[in-house]
Amino acid sequence: MGCSNELTFYDEWLLLDKNDFRILAFIAYQKGDFTGAITDIRNFLGLSKQASHNQKIKESIANLTEQQYIECSQSGNTYTLHINPKETQIVIKREHFDIIKSKNYNIEDSVSWEMVLKTYIYLLQHNEELLTNQEIAEAVDSSESTVSTAQKALK
C-alpha cells in the first residue's frame, strides 16, 4: 500500500462518519494491515480506557466489515484487519498525517484531527481546482463552518 513514508487513503472514505474514518486511518497508518487488540487501536487514537470507547471501535470494525471497507477476523481479543482497496487512491506523506494527528487543536479551532485530515486529503486530491467550502463540506460530509475551521487549522 505504498512505501513506508506514505499512507494510502481512498476518496470513498471521505463520506464516512468520524468513528469509521478514524479506524480506516489507523489501519492505513499500519500500511493497510493490523493485528492486535482493541486497546492498541484505542491508544493510537488517544482515547481513554472506557468501555464506551471500546464499544464504538468494535461497532466501527463491524460496520466497515459489513460495508466491505475492511476484512476482519478475530481470535479471542486479537483482531486482524485488512483494508479492501477502493477505486480512487490518495497517497499522503506519513509525516503530514503525524502532524495533523498530533497537533493540539485548541478551543478556538474546535475541530477534530479526523476532520482536518479529511479536508487535507480532499484538498490534496483537488489541488488544481478552485473549491468553495460548500463543495468541500459536501464531499467530506460536514458543515461549511467545520471545513473552514479545518482549513484554518491546516495553515
Side-chain angles (χ1 to χ4, degrees):
M1 291 197 70
C3 65
S4 63
N5 63 347
E6 294 178 336
L7 304 177
T8 302
F9 288 78
Y10 295 91
D11 181 66
E12 293 81 359
W13 297 359
L14 297 179
L15 288 175
L16 295 173
D17 76 18
K18 174 182 170 178
N19 293 323
D20 291 353
F21 179 79
R22 72 167 65 171
I23 298 302
L24 290 170
F26 166 77
I27 303 168
Y29 196 82
Q30 312 303 317
K31 300 179 188 171
D33 291 294
F34 167 75
T35 299
I38 294 294
T39 55
D40 299 323
I41 301 171
R42 191 186 67 230
N43 291 339
F44 178 88
L45 298 175
L47 301 173
S48 61
K49 184 179 179 178
Q50 293 180 19
S52 63
H53 289 149
N54 290 353
Q55 187 58 37
K56 282 183 182 178
I57 291 169
K58 289 175 184 177
E59 287 171 3
S60 285
I61 290 170
N63 187 37
L64 292 167
T65 302
E66 182 180 315
Q67 294 181 22
Q68 298 182 346
Y69 284 96
I70 63 172
E71 293 174 15
C72 173
S73 61
Q74 183 181 359
S75 177
N77 290 330
T78 302
Y79 286 78
T80 299
L81 307 175
H82 172 76
I83 289 176
N84 290 328
K86 296 295 181 186
E87 187 174 326
T88 309
Q89 179 176 304
I90 306 157
V91 176
I92 69 169
K93 292 182 180 180
R94 179 179 293 269
E95 175 185 6
H96 294 175
F97 178 93
D98 290 338
I99 291 168
I100 290 169
K101 185 178 173 297
S102 66
K103 184 179 180 204
N104 184 13
Y105 299 101
N106 60 34
I107 301 211
E108 296 167 10
D109 292 331
S110 185
V111 67
S112 67
W113 68 264
E114 296 90 351
M115 193 62 235
V116 174
L117 181 60
K118 279 184 172 186
T119 302
Y120 172 74
I121 290 169
Y122 189 80
L123 290 171
L124 185 67
Q125 182 184 19
H126 296 87
N127 66 353
E128 298 297 320
E129 301 172 37
L130 290 175
L131 300 166
T132 65
N133 285 348
Q134 179 181 357
E135 290 171 316
I136 298 168
E138 289 172 4
V140 299
D141 193 30
S142 187
S143 69
E144 288 181 53
S145 62
T146 300
V147 166
S148 176
T149 303
Q151 288 181 69
K152 288 176 189 171
L154 283 169
K155 293 180 182 181

